[in-house]
Amino acid sequence: MSKYDFGYELEYGSTNEWAFHEVQRNSDVLELGSSVGNLTSHLVQEKGCLVDIVEIDEEAGDKAQQFAELALIGEKGDLNGRVWMDELLKRNRRYDYIVILDVLEHLLHPENTLESAKMLLKSTGKILLSIPNV
């Protein structure tokens, strides 16, 4: 079992629950650091969203990809590199929401990931971001 597998419930007061309520129905969503797909599954099944995911943990990503339109997992899902961004730019898709929950603190250069993510937003798009209190 992946160390990030907390099940598929949206725990009350969690960042996943917050993001779920922020995303509008039928939105195009990119989730950076999807883990096993807790939020992804709810966005797809309950809100009709199309969700692409980027996840470095292969075991977690394998569970999440069942809910995703596109899944960049393992080496392709390494937010410290450029492969994920190059793959998404090739598809020329823009997102209503980019969700980055409790991920940036794990990156070497989080500012680069944010700059890259910004390029993938629609003009009216939003980044939903959380960083744990250290």
Side-chain angles (χ1 to χ4, degrees), residues 12 22 48 54 61 73 88 102:
Y12 178 75
E22 290 293 315
V54 178
I73 301 169
L88 292 171
D102 304 337

Side-chain angles (χ1 to χ4, degrees), residues 6 15 20 22 25 40 67 79 90 104 112:
F6 303 109
T15 55
F20 176 79
E22 290 293 315
R25 291 190 156 288
T40 310
F67 307 109
L79 294 171
K90 275 194 267 184
L104 291 180
N112 294 345

Side-chain angles (χ1 to χ4, degrees), residues 52-69:
D52 292 341
I53 63 168
V54 178
E55 174 56 54
I56 193 167
D57 184 285
E58 289 186 25
E59 188 177 348
D62 285 343
K63 292 180 179 185
Q65 74 179 341
Q66 67 182 307
F67 307 109
E69 290 291 308

Side-chain angles (χ1 to χ4, degrees), residues 9 25 32 35 39-40 48 65 83 98 104 112 122 126-127:
E9 293 300 314
R25 291 190 156 288
L32 302 182
S35 183
L39 178 60
T40 310
Q65 74 179 341
V83 175
I98 298 178
L104 291 180
N112 294 345
K122 292 179 180 177
K126 296 179 182 180
I127 293 178

Side-chain angles (χ1 to χ4, degrees), residues 4 52 62 74-75 95-96 104:
Y4 302 108
D52 292 341
D62 285 343
E75 189 176 312
Y95 299 93
D96 299 302
L104 291 180

Side-chain angles (χ1 to χ4, degrees), residues 23-72:
V23 173
Q24 299 298 308
R25 291 190 156 288
N26 303 313
S27 295
D28 292 323
V29 179
L30 174 61
E31 188 177 3
L32 302 182
S34 64
S35 183
V36 298
N38 181 316
L39 178 60
T40 310
S41 68
H42 288 278
L43 290 173
V44 169
Q45 294 171 348
E46 296 174 36
K47 290 202 169 182
C49 295
L50 295 177
V51 183
D52 292 341
I53 63 168
V54 178
E55 174 56 54
I56 193 167
D57 184 285
E58 289 186 25
E59 188 177 348
D62 285 343
K63 292 180 179 185
Q65 74 179 341
Q66 67 182 307
F67 307 109
E69 290 291 308
L70 173 69
L72 300 174

Side-chain angles (χ1 to χ4, degrees), residues 109-126:
H109 298 285
E111 68 279 9
N112 294 345
T113 300
L114 283 173
E115 285 295 323
S116 295
K118 190 168 74 171
M119 294 171 29
L120 297 169
L121 278 176
K122 292 179 180 177
S123 62
T124 58
K126 296 179 182 180

